[in-house]
Amino acid sequence: AQKITQTQPGMFVQEKEAVTLDCTYDTSDQSYGLFWYKQPSSGEMIFLIYQGSYDEQNATEGRYSLNFQKARKSANLVISASQLGDSAMYFCAMREGGMTTDSWGKLQFGAGTQVVVTP
Amino acid sequence: IAGITQAPTSQILAAGRRMTLRCTQDMRHNAMYWYRQDLGLGLRLIHYSNTAGTTGKGEVPDGYSVSRANTDDFPLTLASAVPSQTSVYFCASSERGGPSSYNSPLHFGNGTRLTVT
């Protein structure tokens, strides 16, 4: 079963506007972490932001913030004041803290959302 | 600059040949991972190592082997390459592996683009 779902294959956003990328997840673990990564066209995977399942505050890192709604199992990424350099593929991912060796350490990715920032 | 170094950057390989993808990290991270990224299939875990001296199988381990003789190095070997192993391979590391690792982000190398003909 899909653990991470990103329903937006692609999005266009104008420069200086904010954009929200959706991510829902599925887990029965109490302990888990949610991550967002950026993959520009050059191919590298860049870690952006982390949200822990026990964190009561939404995570923020510069222009990135995570809208964490635990009851709805969603962890949406908000990019404020978009820049041309934000054009990239964005992946939501999860690590579970379960008790099976299958889940230990495994970072599970969604399919990604392609963001294009236009002038 | 601290990080993960992968080599080679890209490679074209004849089917049936043996190939080792190299990965070195200088962050003294305990855990290391190999992922492959394919269009339409996303990133899939091949093998992992939660600490030096141990390794484990991920989602798609067949045709690949790894070793973790020390903290820094985690090579991935294709014993006899097949065209379905054409992919972009990412090595990653995290400070912790195992059951306490859910809040430990992975840091990725720049990837190796492998084409098996």
Side-chain angles (χ1 to χ4, degrees), chain A residues 31-33 35 37 39 43-45 47 50 53-54 91 95-98 101 104-107 109, chain B residues 33 35 37 43 45 48 50 59 90 94 96-99 101-110:
Chain A
S31 305
Y32 54 90
F35 306 83
Y37 286 83
Q39 187 175 39
E44 68 269 31
M45 293 286 288
F47 166 62
Y50 160 78
S53 58
Y54 298 110
F91 292 97
R95 294 185 88 169
E96 296 171 287
T101 53
W104 289 355
K106 178 179 173 180
L107 188 65
F109 286 86
Chain B
Y33 312 86
Y35 283 83
Q37 184 177 28
L43 286 109
L45 181 65
Y48 66 92
N50 284 334
E59 300 170 79
F90 286 99
S94 66
R96 297 184 303 281
S101 66
Y102 67 89
N103 57 357
S104 185
L106 269 65
H107 298 274
F108 286 80
N110 287 339

Side-chain angles (χ1 to χ4, degrees), chain B residues 2-103:
Chain B
I4 296 176
T5 302
Q6 290 186 238
T9 304
S10 65
Q11 182 75 44
I12 299 173
L13 187 67
R17 298 296 295 268
R18 180 184 179 91
M19 173 81 191
T20 295
L21 308 186
R22 300 186 297 278
C23 175
T24 300
Q25 54 108 355
D26 61 4
M27 298 177 283
R28 307 303 293 170
H29 282 175
N30 284 311
M32 296 187 75
Y33 312 86
W34 276 104
Y35 283 83
R36 60 178 289 175
Q37 184 177 28
D38 303 287
L39 200 61
L41 297 174
L43 286 109
R44 295 178 291 169
L45 181 65
I46 304 170
H47 285 287
Y48 66 92
S49 168
N50 284 334
T51 188
T54 70
T55 61
K57 293 181 180 181
E59 300 170 79
V60 288
D62 294 343
Y64 306 95
S65 63
V66 292
S67 62
R68 186 90 184 276
N70 57 60
T71 298
D72 299 342
D73 300 301
F74 192 44
L76 176 75
T77 297
L78 289 67
S80 179
V82 295
S84 62
Q85 292 177 311
T86 294
S87 186
V88 179
Y89 292 86
F90 286 99
C91 179
S93 72
S94 66
E95 190 174 348
R96 297 184 303 281
S100 64
S101 66
Y102 67 89
N103 57 357

Side-chain angles (χ1 to χ4, degrees), chain A residues 28 41 57:
Chain A
S28 55
S41 58
Q57 304 262 18

Side-chain angles (χ1 to χ4, degrees), chain A residues 69-94:
Chain A
Q69 298 186 47
K70 192 170 182 177
R72 297 181 60 187
K73 293 189 175 178
S74 76
N76 298 339
L77 177 71
V78 180
I79 307 173
S80 63
S82 296
Q83 301 172 357
L84 295 178
D86 294 334
S87 294
M89 182 72 87
Y90 289 82
F91 292 97
C92 180
M94 176 175 67

Side-chain angles (χ1 to χ4, degrees), chain A residues 15-55:
Chain A
E15 208 175 358
K16 301 180 185 175
E17 289 187 351
V19 60
T20 297
L21 308 184
D22 295 340
C23 174
T24 57
Y25 60 92
D26 180 29
T27 182
S28 55
D29 286 348
Q30 296 301 308
S31 305
Y32 54 90
L34 298 156
F35 306 83
W36 278 91
Y37 286 83
K38 172 184 179 181
Q39 187 175 39
S41 58
S42 50
E44 68 269 31
M45 293 286 288
I46 303 166
F47 166 62
L48 293 178
I49 194 167
Y50 160 78
Q51 179 84 44
S53 58
Y54 298 110
D55 294 342

